[in-house]
């Protein structure tokens, strides 16, 4: 017997990076010492205070039952308190907070929950590839908004055609930005709130790298801006702030209608998260060790960023200096596509990078560098690339 997949599954985008992983694995299989700069998976362990908290809560039989459908009230309150403390934004924990098994779930399920087939939403280009999965599953249409170097990789809202803006239902923005490392300014967010109100477009802020800002600058939350809660929501994940990518813990805050849509679809798909993880997530936000753990992580990434950019400059490779995230967005050599460049680096230098084309048409001409190994290996990777004389 054969059981073909549904027509809906056939509409899902191809996983561009699956081919990159296969290429890297094939190179490793030859015995090559591959330096992998193509990944986006935090390399450091979860802070000890969170691990210890989790061990305590897992051992408590009271956490072994089903969670409440929409998350433990104490976790929602802790999320609201965190935003009040750090960003000065106030939320009703029952109506304006959604608990998520990772922010990807919310980002992908949102069109399914809040849009109708044929509706339009706007996506950044370059941008996180899994946004496209939400378009496919929700059976909605999307238009892309270019992020260009001359605008510091911020959308030019004035360049979005009025007909597209009027038709759009939501607009996804992501700062600090994957893949470019750009950060949003307060002025841009103020302009975005006004634009959203003018065209009645919901703003979906993907704040996955919200804790990772450089040179002493804390990234701005969209929710800090007056009027932001009226027009949108923001996703906050534990994956990057606390090195908890595999734990799948996140939450969203903001507009009550959008939050209700997320909560409703999750009522039918999940029974929230393992309660022990929710209580550990509360401790992650409230323990006095929090700020020190985050600052140590930011300092580590900045040291890596500075080491990489300094080494790259020595071989004539000059890119966009990231102000957030753990990525660097670097140009390809003249007359070489991002995928060609990535293949050359892997084949001839045993260095893996992520081709910019995988993030959208406007990612062509760049590669994304993951700053997820120690400085010495980052410098070694650049030195290997320098021996290819591609930037002379």
């Amino acid at each position: 017997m054969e059981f073909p997949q549904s027509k809906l599954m056939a509409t899902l985008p191809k996983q561009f990076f699956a081919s990159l992983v296969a290429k890297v694995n094939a190179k490793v299989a030859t015995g090559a010492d591959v330096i992998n700069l193509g990944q986006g998976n935090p390399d450091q362990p979860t802070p000890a205070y969170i691990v210890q908290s989790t061990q305590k809560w897992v051992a408590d039989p009271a956490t072994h039952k089903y969670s409440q459908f929409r998350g433990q009230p104490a976790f929602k309150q802790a999320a609201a308190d965190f935003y009040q403390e750090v960003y000065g934004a106030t939320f009703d924990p029952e109506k304006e907070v959604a608990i998520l098994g990772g922010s990807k779930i919310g980002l992908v399920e949102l069109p399914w929950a809040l849009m109708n087939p044929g509706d339009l939403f706007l996506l950044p280009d370059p941008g996180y590839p899994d946004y496209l999965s939400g378009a496919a599953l929700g059976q909605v249409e999307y238009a892309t908004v270019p992020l260009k170097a001359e605008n510091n990789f911020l959308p030019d809202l004035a360049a979005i055609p009025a007909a597209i803006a009027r038709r759009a239902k939501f607009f996804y923005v992501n700062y600090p930005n994957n893949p470019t490392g750009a950060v949003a300014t307060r002025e841009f967010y103020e302009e975005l709130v006004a634009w959203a109100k003018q065209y009645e477009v919901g703003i979906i802020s993907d704040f996955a790298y919200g804790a990772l800002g450089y040179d002493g600058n804390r990234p701005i939350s969209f929710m800090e801006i007056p009027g932001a809660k009226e027009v949108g929501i923001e996703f906050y994940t534990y994956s990057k702030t606390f090195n908890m990518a595999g734990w799948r813990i996140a939450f969203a805050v903001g507009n009550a209608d959008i939050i209700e849509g997320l909560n409703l679809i999750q009522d039918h798909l999940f029974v929230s998260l393992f309660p022990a993880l929710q209580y550990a997530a509360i401790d992650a936000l409230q323990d006095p060790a929090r700020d020190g753990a985050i600052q140590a992580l930011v300092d580590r990434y900045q040291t890596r960023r500075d080491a990489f950019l300094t080494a790259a400059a020595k071989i004539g490779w000059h890119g966009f200096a990231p102000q957030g995230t753990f990525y660097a967005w670097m140009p390809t050599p003249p007359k070489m596509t991002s995928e060609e460049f990535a293949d050359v680096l892997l084949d001839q230098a045993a260095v893996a990078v992520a081709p910019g084309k995988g993030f959208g048409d406007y990612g062509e001409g760049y590669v994304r560098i993951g700053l997820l190994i120690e400085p010495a290996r980052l410098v070694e990777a650049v030195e290997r690339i320098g021996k290819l004389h591609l930037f002379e």
Side-chain angles (χ1 to χ4, degrees):
M1 297 176 65
E2 294 183 356
F3 300 93
Q5 295 177 355
S6 70
K7 293 180 180 178
L8 180 60
M9 292 298 98
T11 69
L12 288 171
K14 301 295 183 183
Q15 277 289 354
F16 180 87
F17 292 98
S19 63
L20 173 62
V21 171
K23 290 177 181 178
V24 172
N25 288 343
K27 187 70 172 180
V28 171
T30 68
D33 174 27
V34 175
I35 301 178
N36 191 351
L37 307 181
Q39 59 190 345
N41 199 357
D43 65 305
Q44 294 300 298
T46 302
Y49 82 92
I50 300 175
V51 174
Q52 292 162 5
S53 168
T54 306
Q55 291 168 335
K56 176 190 71 174
W57 288 111
V58 167
D60 184 349
T63 69
H64 299 176
K65 301 178 184 297
Y66 287 126
S67 170
Q68 295 189 39
F69 267 88
R70 298 188 173 193
Q72 303 301 95
F75 186 14
K76 291 186 281 188
Q77 183 66 60
D81 291 345
F82 173 73
Y83 257 76
Q84 175 65 54
E85 174 194 350
V86 179
Y87 303 112
T90 302
F91 301 99
D92 179 334
E94 285 305 310
K95 296 181 179 180
E96 297 175 335
V97 178
I99 302 304
L100 304 160
S103 58
K104 174 179 174 176
I105 283 177
L107 290 161
V108 171
E109 74 188 358
L110 187 143
W112 196 6
L114 288 148
M115 301 176 72
N116 296 309
D119 282 351
L120 177 75
F121 72 147
L122 304 179
L123 299 177
D125 182 358
Y128 179 47
D130 285 342
Y131 295 154
L132 301 177
S133 303
L137 292 173
Q139 301 180 64
V140 300
E141 299 177 19
Y142 68 91
T144 58
V145 179
L147 307 183
K148 300 180 180 180
E150 56 264 34
N151 202 39
N152 293 316
F153 298 106
L154 295 170
D156 182 354
L157 299 178
I160 299 173
I164 295 294
R166 282 192 293 268
R167 190 181 161 212
K169 193 165 184 179
F170 293 104
F171 183 10
Y172 280 30
V173 295
N174 165 223
Y175 294 98
N177 181 255
N178 173 18
T180 68
V183 298
T185 62
R186 187 171 300 275
E187 293 74 19
F188 167 71
Y189 275 154
E190 290 171 347
E191 181 186 359
L192 183 61
V193 169
W195 179 90
K197 290 181 176 180
Q198 177 184 354
Y199 291 105
E200 298 185 337
V201 178
I203 303 301
I204 309 303
S205 171
D206 178 2
F207 203 38
Y209 300 87
L212 306 182
Y214 298 135
D215 303 316
N217 297 314
R218 176 181 62 77
I220 296 171
S221 162
F222 178 61
M223 289 296 144
E224 292 183 53
I225 307 303
K229 189 168 69 171
E230 298 173 34
V231 302
I233 67 168
E234 185 160 86
F235 289 100
Y236 195 98
T237 176
Y238 281 57
S239 295
K240 281 73 179 182
T241 302
F242 299 110
N243 290 329
M244 296 174 70
W247 299 54
R248 311 313 301 148
I249 302 174
F251 58 84
V253 296
N255 181 275
D257 290 341
I258 302 175
I259 293 296
E260 174 60 23
L262 291 176
N263 278 328
L264 181 58
I265 193 170
Q266 294 199 124
D267 285 347
H268 295 272
L269 294 175
F270 312 106
V271 189
S272 197
L273 308 179
F274 178 26
L277 290 184
Q278 295 189 57
Y279 290 121
I282 295 170
D283 292 340
L285 296 179
Q286 296 182 342
D287 194 284
R290 181 196 73 193
D291 291 345
I294 293 173
Q295 188 59 54
L297 186 64
V298 170
D299 291 345
R300 180 184 292 269
Y301 287 142
Q302 176 152 351
T303 297
R304 294 175 178 184
R305 180 202 70 166
D306 294 347
F308 174 80
L309 292 177
T310 298
K314 291 179 180 179
I315 67 167
W317 193 18
H318 302 283
F320 180 77
Q323 294 303 305
T325 75
F326 43 55
Y327 302 117
W329 192 234
M330 302 296 289
T332 63
K335 299 181 180 180
M336 188 175 288
T337 71
S338 61
E339 196 159 11
E340 289 170 345
F341 183 44
D343 286 344
V344 166
L345 295 190
L346 185 60
D347 292 342
Q348 300 182 25
V351 173
V353 299
K357 177 67 174 177
F359 300 94
D361 291 343
Y362 282 85
E364 187 54 85
Y366 296 90
V367 293
R368 190 190 72 178
I369 305 297
L371 304 172
L372 296 165
I373 56 177
E374 294 303 328
R377 285 287 272 177
L378 288 168
V379 171
E380 180 184 351
V382 174
E383 290 174 346
R384 292 185 189 182
I385 295 169
K387 292 177 181 178
L388 302 181
H389 305 290
L390 298 172
F391 295 98
E392 297 178 352

